[in-house]
Amino acid sequence: MVAPIRVAVTGAAGQIGYASIFRIASGEVFGPNQPVILHLVEVPPVLKALDGVHMELDDCAFPTLAGVVKADSDHLEDGFRDCNWVLCVGSIPRKAGMERGDLIRVNGPIFTSTGRAIAAAAAPDVRVVVVGNPCNTNCLIAMKNAPGVPSNRFYAMTMLDQNRAASQLAQKAGVPVGAVSNVGIWGNHSATQYPDFYHAKINGRPATEVITDHAWLQGDFISTVQKRGAAVIAARGASSAASAANALLDTVKGIIRPTPAGSCFSAAVCSDGSYGIEAGLITGFPLVSDGQQVSIVQGQTHTAFAQSKIDITINELREERECVKDLLG
Ligand SMILES: NC(=O)c1ccc[n+]([C@@H]2O[C@H](COP(=O)([O-])OP(=O)(O)OC[C@H]3O[C@@H](n4cnc5c(N)ncnc54)[C@H](O)[C@@H]3O)[C@@H](O)[C@H]2O)c1
Ligand SMILES: O=C(O)C[C@H](O)C(=O)O
């Protein structure tokens, strides 16, 4: 009999929460033999809607769903008690015309109590993925407010950017998206991020050999990925949800499954000073997992063009940190 793992999802009745939890309950992420107890966290006015989500989970009759715990955001320790994963979605999304960073003073405070409750109540092996924007800096706030939880347990989501970048490269090259690998996202999940096409591969070959339109790679490719979130908001009238939920699940899979040889996956983690990036910033890096431990891919070299892009996005992360320095524990 396999012991269940406990997975908390904040904002569980929101767009991304709703698009995530059924897939987590189904066994897609942790496997068909791993029971999961879902901890669903919402703000008090949304608890009634959360009851409805709970009914729907029951009605799916997933064999892998071993239980549901509901908690409100005023009782986060109850919500996170003994959790092995805390997926932090709950927060306000931006509207048309806003940058993700505009949410910093609205959503940032949510992550002080989140960090404290994780430290107080979660399982000793807890891993945290922050989705709520601006996710890098919110993750920094949570990490700084969770003394005793190792910094390498904190991730902010840049997987959606990786998936967007892979899709753009595949369409340009006229290949299935599965042919694209090794796309690293550097820096902030924002309009300054640097999606690294230089190290990307298409059918195992450098993307820069397969796609010879380098002006497109340096121009429209980067800006399309950087601004994709805003483009979705403009078209849909709401921020990306199904693709974000999919990326959240891909992030967890990236962490717990060995990365295929010669490839990487993307998330923002606490910099250890790799590539000269200031230690302690939550920064998008190319990562590899052996199924247990995640590490930053080492030894990549960057062109002057790429380095200038990385410098811009790292600078923005420093500015965001300055903006929330009163929340950093
Ligand atoms: N990192 C990424 O790639 C990425 C992608 C898409 C969206 N996002 C971000 O994810 C967040 C959620 O987006 P959404 O579309 O699901 O929004 P949503 O408004 O549909 O849902 C958010 C939910 O969070 C709940 N909530 C708010 N404050 C909370 C708190 N303190 N504790 C618990 N729950 C709380 C709300 O009641 C709501 O149900 C936004 O900040 C959005 O910008 C990030
Ligand atoms: O762009 C947003 O505000 C939502 C999300 O971060 C996205 O990239 O789709």
Side-chain angles (χ1 to χ4, degrees), residues 94 100 133 160 164 189 229-230 233 239-240:
R94 67 172 160 158
R100 297 177 184 103
N133 279 319
L160 182 52
R164 288 167 171 166
H189 171 63
I233 292 169
S239 79
S240 59

Side-chain angles (χ1 to χ4, degrees), residues 183-186 264-267 275 284-288 295-297 300:
V183 183
I185 303 294
W186 291 76
C264 69
F265 74 99
S266 299
Y275 297 94
F285 281 108
L287 305 174
V288 286
S295 45
I296 297 169
V297 172
Q300 292 190 350

Side-chain angles (χ1 to χ4, degrees), residues 33-50:
N33 300 316
Q34 175 59 66
V36 172
I37 298 174
L38 277 176
H39 289 229
L40 309 179
V41 181
E42 262 295 349
V43 293
V46 179
L47 289 181
K48 185 161 178 278
L50 196 61

